[in-house]
Amino acid sequence: MAIRLGCIADDFTGATDLANNLVRAGMRVVQLIDVPQDGTDGPVDADAVVIALKSRTTPAPDAVEASLRALEWLRSAGTEQIYFKYCSTFDSTRAGNIGPVTEALMDALGTDFTVATPAFPDNGRTVFKGHLFVGDVLLSESGMRHHPLTPMTDSNLVSVLGAQTARPVGLIDHTVVAAGAEAIRRRVDDLRQEGVGAAIVDAVSNDDLVRLGAAVKELPLVTAGSGLAIGLPANWGFEPSPAAAQLPPPGGHQAIVSGSVSTATNGQVLEFLRGGRPAFSVDPLRIAAGEDVAGQALAFAAAHLADGPVLVYSTEAPDAVKNVQGRLGVAEAGELVEQTLARVAQGLVDLGVRQLVVAGGESSGAVVQALGLTGLRIGPQIDPGVPWCAADLPDGETLHITLKSGNFGGPDFFTASFAHLDRDARLDGETS
């Protein structure tokens, strides 16, 4: 079977977010963890393949190299169109990595034009007049302005992307998008004539993304958040199917590992704590001082897992995060937390956890790599952009895991996710 769409995602939560939308739009999707090694993986039987990288905050040259390796593998597999997926809050710095990766992919594919839109209306991410909104506020006024690694202080995406690329960046605004796919294609032709290499595209509704999807059918490369995924499968005749991807029945203990410092995840941690449930706070300063914080967290978890989900978290308010970064350095603080949470996740699986929620893109990448997972089966959606997945462990057992972007999910996401998995498993049993 031909791989219609080949996707390169710049982090692990974003990859599952994208795969989730493609599955809901009718495609059979395989998500791979990093680029398969030569000779270790056979042909993939899927309509779309999503390769999850951990390249969002790496140095730009490293992000480019990893993305080009992913592109090479996808092209060798016969992929018809390439989709570069980044965060719906356009997480990046003036140095990249969205711009450098986009240009490298364009050069490799020999194309002079692509589109860019992080819009995901189902999760409150919309683009209007080239400006990105998070809910009802501009990106620059949202919690993303405090992000420790990629603080977003400019909502004008034409400006943001233009600072990262040598190619001129243009705009396809809402009046054009509302007029339909043919109007979008005419605007693309005009921008190409003007020498524009990439265009930010307005989208304030799913209908806008469907129109855009039809308009970019012939482009070798599209770049977007996960929202555009709802508008592409129809180009190959796929339609949403009520037959959701089924996963094996869940079992084992339940746990949450959270390394995100986003506003949404802060609220989810507080909601979990307000419920009086067991939680262990990971302090980067104690890690830096040489304490075995991972061991302490696992000892705490072992005493509570039998009673329900346990949370291990390093989430903090922006001021606290800045204090830690000031004492340890931004990179070192992030690395200490990621590696500690990865060790905790390994230990939790050893303790019998088979239902695991991971919050935060960088944390998810570290956890997945530590667990040695190579692929995920995409299951039912918990919240927009966040599905349950299943992975095979070395011992043959199944680990149910969800990789949640820090910005996604409602306040009760942590507890609701387990209830959702249990409910879906019971419904599958009744209909099978």
Side-chain angles (χ1 to χ4, degrees):
M1 297 292 292
I3 298 175
R4 307 296 190 182
L5 188 64
C7 309
I8 302 168
D10 68 357
D11 84 337
F12 289 67
T13 60
T16 56
D17 171 10
L18 172 59
N20 174 61
N21 279 348
L22 293 173
V23 167
R24 294 174 65 231
M27 282 184 142
R28 297 173 306 127
V29 182
V30 170
Q31 180 175 326
L32 303 176
I33 307 303
D34 211 336
V35 183
Q37 298 299 308
D38 291 341
T40 61
D41 293 87
V44 175
D45 182 19
D47 304 309
V49 173
V50 180
I51 297 181
L53 303 178
K54 195 170 181 290
S55 58
R56 180 169 299 169
T57 57
T58 60
D62 295 342
V64 166
E65 188 275 333
S67 300
L68 289 177
R69 281 193 296 108
L71 174 64
E72 182 180 4
W73 188 91
L74 290 168
R75 294 179 78 182
S76 70
T79 303
E80 297 179 12
Q81 187 177 46
I82 300 298
Y83 188 139
F84 170 41
K85 193 276 176 193
Y86 36 74
C87 188
S88 64
T89 46
F90 218 64
D91 295 21
S92 54
T93 67
R94 289 187 66 84
N97 290 340
I98 295 173
V101 170
T102 295
E103 290 200 297
L105 294 175
M106 291 176 71
D107 290 341
L109 289 165
T111 185
D112 66 341
F113 185 86
T114 190
V115 295
T117 182
F120 190 5
D122 284 351
N123 254 324
R125 313 301 193 259
T126 55
V127 181
F128 181 74
K129 291 292 186 180
H131 289 72
L132 179 56
F133 287 78
V134 177
D136 295 328
V137 302
L138 287 164
L139 173 67
S140 56
E141 299 172 7
S142 74
M144 283 303 299
R145 68 188 186 279
H146 299 304
H147 195 284
L149 299 178
T150 53
M152 301 304 294
T153 57
D154 187 354
S155 303
N156 185 336
L157 301 188
V158 176
S159 171
V160 173
L161 186 58
Q164 301 178 22
T165 64
R167 290 174 169 86
V169 177
L171 173 66
I172 301 176
D173 78 8
H174 68 105
T175 59
V176 175
V177 175
E182 185 56 38
I184 297 171
R185 282 191 285 266
R186 287 195 300 269
R187 176 62 174 156
V188 168
D189 290 340
D190 290 343
L191 290 171
R192 274 178 151 154
Q193 290 296 318
E194 296 169 12
V196 170
I200 300 297
V201 185
D202 282 357
V204 298
S205 69
N206 285 349
D207 288 342
D208 288 340
L209 293 173
V210 170
R211 286 187 280 263
L212 176 59
V216 299
K217 179 179 180 180
E218 303 302 326
L219 290 184
L221 171 71
V222 297
T223 85
S226 63
L228 184 56
I230 69 173
L232 296 179
N235 290 338
W236 293 282
F238 295 101
E239 297 180 354
S241 171
Q246 293 187 359
L247 298 180
H253 296 311
Q254 302 167 332
I256 306 112
V257 172
S258 175
S260 170
V261 296
S262 73
T263 301
T265 303
N266 273 333
Q268 290 154 5
V269 169
L270 288 175
E271 183 70 15
F272 191 90
L273 296 176
R274 276 195 289 263
R277 298 178 179 88
F280 183 94
S281 176
V282 171
D283 183 349
L285 297 177
R286 289 169 52 204
I287 303 172
E291 291 188 40
D292 182 13
V293 175
Q296 295 167 11
L298 290 170
F300 175 87
H304 294 91
L305 281 171
D307 300 321
V310 172
L311 168 65
V312 179
Y313 69 102
S314 66
T315 303
E316 294 287 355
D319 288 345
V321 172
K322 288 181 180 179
N323 176 56
V324 171
Q325 290 177 334
R327 298 175 66 175
L328 301 179
V330 175
E332 182 179 356
E335 182 72 13
L336 285 174
V337 170
E338 284 177 33
Q339 294 308 312
T340 297
L341 292 181
R343 282 185 55 208
V344 169
Q346 284 180 296
L348 289 170
V349 170
D350 291 341
L351 289 171
V353 168
R354 294 295 180 269
Q355 300 174 49
L356 180 65
V357 173
V358 187
E362 297 301 312
S363 300
S364 292
V367 166
V368 166
Q369 291 174 337
L371 293 175
L373 306 183
T374 59
L376 300 175
R377 287 166 281 170
I378 310 301
Q381 177 174 275
I382 306 166
D383 270 347
V386 193
W388 273 108
C389 305
D392 295 326
L393 295 173
D395 62 5
E397 291 196 42
T398 297
L399 173 68
H400 288 76
I401 185 169
T402 184
L403 309 175
K404 186 193 81 70
S405 168
N407 299 301
F408 286 3
D412 65 343
F413 180 87
F414 290 157
T415 52
S417 59
F418 298 114
H420 194 291
L421 181 61
D422 180 65
R423 181 176 65 251
D424 281 331
R426 284 188 284 105
L427 289 175
D428 287 344
E430 292 170 4
T431 56
S432 61

